[in-house]
Amino acid sequence: MAFNDMRAYLDLIKESGQLKEIDEPLSCEYGKNDLQALMRYLAETDGPGLILNNLVGYNTPEIPVIYNPFGTRERTAMALGETDPLQAKLKHSAILADRSQWHEPVLIDAAKAPCKEEVIEEADISIDKQLPHLWIGQEGSSYVCGAVVVTKDPETGTRNVGWYRLTQLWECRHPTDGSYTERQQKQQLSIFAFWNPPMNHIGLHLAKAKAMGKPLEVAVAKLCDPAVHVAACTGTPFGIDEYAFAGGLRGSPVELVKCDTVDLEVPATAEYVIEGVFQPDADDVTIGWHSNSIGYYDKLQVFPVFDIKRITHRKNPMWYATIEMMPPFDHNYLALMPVEGEILSDLQRKIPEVNDVVVTPNMTYVVQLKVDGANKPHPEFGKFVLHAVWGAAGRWGRTAKIVVVVGPDINPYDLQAVEFAIGSRVQPYEDSIMNQSAQAMVLDPSAVKGPQGFPMTGSQLGIDATIKIPERFSDYAPVSQADPDAVAAIGERLKSVLG
Ligand SMILES: Cc1cc2nc3c(=O)[nH]c(=O)nc-3n(C[C@H](O)[C@H](O)[C@H](O)COP(=O)(O)O)c2cc1C
């Protein structure tokens, strides 16, 4: 199933009763907004996606704000045309592994591209009036999130499409009592591109361009077909075009349109397109507080800025806002599903005994095997799988801080079940691995920061929670647990009393 655009996905979740309009006034002002509390409430209640129609302190009241559209594993699966999270993940990982299923994107005429319905030329750009600004939690700045970011390798010309957050500097609070120039506030954007050292693909492009003394063109496409977003936040190998992978996910080519001021292509049905250029000699900016996906405020972060050259958007555009905070939060599952799919795809290619990979909102990696005990291919097989996660393609496996390997009877989505396996199948000294020379997850506040201002190295814990046959035992006590069908049946029989 292919969505034409984000609007089609929103129609689908609305049909299933998972999109509601909110006309109650809600504040999005700096320091006293309602939006972080709302996000927490929605996360605690598996709440629906929302359209916020009445924001107080909002600079563009005519533009509705979509909030929490992806907030459950089920709705994240719906972004790929599925309802079951495991099916969505299996689809993602199978297509990722098989490039014969991918579709190269096609270019369409600019006159047919909805994203070009309205045009704001460079001379008229003043994003304080043209882009929605919302403050969430105690963040110092308002964000452009839900956008895919396109750049080309300055050496090879190959395209990268990644999902990175951007910071608006208009009325942004400076974390060290500095200030932002009027130009930075109205005609520039800053982006979470870790380029020094490069830790994502746009960072690699930027680092190359800076070393060559060349400008780097950039295009930001906000709110596209969700398959494009899923592809953009998948860690495909460097040099691979995520648009072609998105074509595989949607089962047909993504329709692109050429940008006007830069030599880049964006999905034709995006709500907004922002075209720009990073200048090689431009100074990075410091922003903060920034609420991160690990659940802490970074007091400051240092990021590059680019000059905006043109903004185009659809008629009656929509905006999307979100916050990263103590998980779970709206796009948490959308970010995790590609990580799961990416590692699952890599592991299954080498280790057919791997059944599932689940990454919890707090980023514990659980690998479920199809076999356990005497059926494992060899003794210490669980530890072999731990090493394979850390050696998986892509940076997520490499930075997985806590990894647990379980057998097929343990539900990897159920942390209580995972704890049962750890509690009853693990001897901590014998069955765990401490890797002392790991790459840290870049936002982990428990890892010591390097000279660049963020952590580069840390350590990792792997727990082999499989049954230790044949390593240690020839026999293991049977699990005392009721059959799930019998549990459902007794619930049904006693429904009138137990409800
Ligand atoms: C909503 C959302 C925001 C994200 N923001 C960032 C970000 O600001 N910087 C980053 O490096 N990764 C971010 N990620 C994760 C990247 O999208 C993911 O790692 C992706 O593989 C990056 O593409 P790349 O491998 O081509 O660099 C975000 C993911 C999601 C879902």
Side-chain angles (χ1 to χ4, degrees):
M1 169 181 186
F3 297 106
N4 188 39
D5 54 13
M6 189 58 80
R7 296 178 188 199
Y9 167 75
L10 293 173
D11 286 346
L12 181 80
I13 65 170
K14 189 173 182 180
E15 268 166 39
S16 67
Q18 299 192 61
L19 185 68
K20 311 267 183 219
E21 305 227 4
I22 302 282
D23 296 323
E24 284 292 305
L26 291 171
S27 169
C28 65
E29 291 167 276
Y30 174 76
K32 51 178 179 176
N33 62 78
D34 294 312
L35 298 180
Q36 190 178 35
L38 177 62
M39 181 66 78
R40 182 68 192 170
Y41 180 78
L42 292 166
E44 281 176 2
T45 54
D46 274 348
L50 302 177
I51 301 175
L52 307 180
N53 290 323
N54 189 1
L55 287 167
V56 177
Y58 182 42
N59 65 329
T60 50
E62 68 286 0
I63 302 175
V65 174
I66 312 301
Y67 206 63
N68 197 44
F70 311 111
T72 61
R73 284 201 190 265
E74 185 198 354
R75 283 208 296 281
T76 300
M78 289 165 88
L80 290 188
E82 303 285 336
T83 48
D84 176 51
L86 179 57
Q87 287 314 315
K89 190 190 322 180
L90 290 174
K91 177 176 186 177
H92 176 273
S93 66
I95 294 171
L96 186 59
D98 177 8
R99 290 196 197 160
S100 72
Q101 294 188 55
W102 297 19
H103 295 278
E104 289 300 322
V106 291
L107 266 184
I108 68 159
D109 202 66
K112 295 194 182 131
C115 68
K116 292 202 188 275
E117 283 166 351
E118 305 283 347
V119 177
I120 305 167
E121 310 273 2
E122 183 176 6
D124 300 325
I125 287 169
S126 190
I127 60 169
D128 52 317
K129 300 187 196 71
Q130 294 145 350
L131 295 186
H133 283 70
L134 296 88
W135 276 262
I136 312 188
Q138 298 300 320
E139 289 194 303
S141 44
S142 90
Y143 285 75
V144 178
C145 197
V148 302
V149 180
V150 191
T151 50
K152 283 186 181 160
D153 187 315
E155 280 176 334
T156 64
T158 55
R159 182 165 51 204
N160 182 64
V161 188
W163 192 340
Y164 316 106
R165 301 177 82 197
L166 295 97
T167 308
Q168 311 200 54
L169 302 169
W170 182 60
E171 294 203 340
C172 183
R173 270 57 182 185
H174 198 288
T176 55
D177 289 335
S179 59
Y180 303 100
T181 63
E182 188 170 355
R183 178 163 167 67
Q184 287 175 327
Q185 294 197 44
K186 296 188 176 169
Q187 280 111 22
Q188 293 186 323
L189 286 171
S190 135
I191 181 163
F192 277 62
F194 300 94
W195 69 274
N196 183 23
M199 295 180 70
N200 53 20
H201 290 171
I202 190 175
L204 274 162
H205 287 182
L206 255 176
K208 282 189 187 191
K210 292 222 181 223
M212 295 160 86
K214 282 173 63 171
L216 183 75
E217 296 181 335
V218 58
V220 176
K222 176 141 176 150
L223 293 176
C224 314
D225 161 9
V228 172
H229 291 281
V230 172
C233 65
T234 302
T236 51
F238 186 56
I240 294 295
D241 185 2
E242 286 85 354
Y243 282 144
F245 174 46
L249 290 174
R250 68 197 302 279
S252 60
V254 178
E255 291 192 341
L256 301 179
V257 63
K258 277 198 132 346
C259 290
D260 301 324
T261 63
V262 292
D263 180 23
L264 295 166
E265 304 79 24
V266 286
T269 60
E271 293 291 325
Y272 278 86
V273 175
I274 304 167
E275 303 176 3
V277 178
F278 292 96
Q279 295 300 342
D281 50 357
D283 288 334
D284 290 349
V285 288
T286 303
I287 60 115
W289 292 4
H290 159 250
S291 183
N292 68 36
S293 57
I294 300 289
Y296 287 86
Y297 286 111
D298 298 316
K299 287 189 184 147
L300 54 90
Q301 288 276 10
V302 180
F303 287 115
V305 287
F306 63 85
D307 301 324
I308 303 174
K309 294 291 175 193
R310 175 166 287 206
I311 299 174
T312 68
H313 62 83
R314 290 176 70 153
K315 285 205 173 86
N316 305 316
M318 305 180 305
W319 195 252
Y320 162 75
T322 186
I323 182 175
E324 300 187 341
M325 55 189 282
M326 186 193 279
F329 47 85
D330 169 36
H331 60 279
N332 206 192
Y333 297 117
L334 194 66
L336 294 175
M337 195 252 285
V339 174
E340 295 169 341
E342 179 190 326
I343 297 176
L344 183 63
S345 161
D346 187 71
L347 293 184
Q348 282 187 330
R349 213 164 28 206
K350 304 179 285 206
I351 313 171
E353 293 81 5
V354 169
N355 191 53
D356 196 359
V357 175
V358 173
V359 184
T360 68
N362 286 304
M363 300 209 80
T364 292
Y365 291 63
V366 185
V367 181
Q368 187 199 41
L369 301 179
K370 294 176 187 158
V371 294
D372 202 354
N375 294 323
K376 289 186 293 189
H378 57 78
E380 307 291 1
F381 181 69
K383 285 188 184 146
F384 167 69
V385 175
L386 292 173
H387 285 294
V389 173
W390 292 326
R395 81 186 124 109
W396 291 111
R398 202 182 311 157
T399 58
K401 185 160 92 172
I402 302 176
V403 188
V404 187
V405 179
V406 298
D409 63 328
I410 300 296
N411 176 357
Y413 292 95
D414 178 357
L415 279 182
Q416 203 167 317
V418 173
E419 186 199 18
F420 168 78
I422 295 173
S424 63
R425 297 173 184 179
V426 171
Q427 285 300 304
Y429 189 77
E430 292 86 340
D431 300 327
S432 63
I433 302 175
M434 289 281 189
N435 175 19
Q436 290 183 309
S437 47
Q439 182 183 340
M441 200 280 186
V442 67
L443 300 171
D444 184 347
S446 71
V448 176
K449 288 187 170 61
Q452 299 86 356
F454 47 82
M456 299 289 295
T457 54
S459 55
Q460 289 168 316
L461 169 64
I463 302 174
D464 172 6
T466 61
I467 293 172
K468 302 306 170 320
I469 299 174
E471 295 91 331
R472 209 166 296 145
F473 306 102
S474 55
D475 188 25
Y476 217 71
V479 172
S480 171
Q481 178 59 295
D483 174 59
D485 291 341
V487 176
I490 197 118
E492 191 57 36
R493 265 170 62 203
L494 300 180
K495 201 159 75 183
S496 59
V497 189
L498 300 179

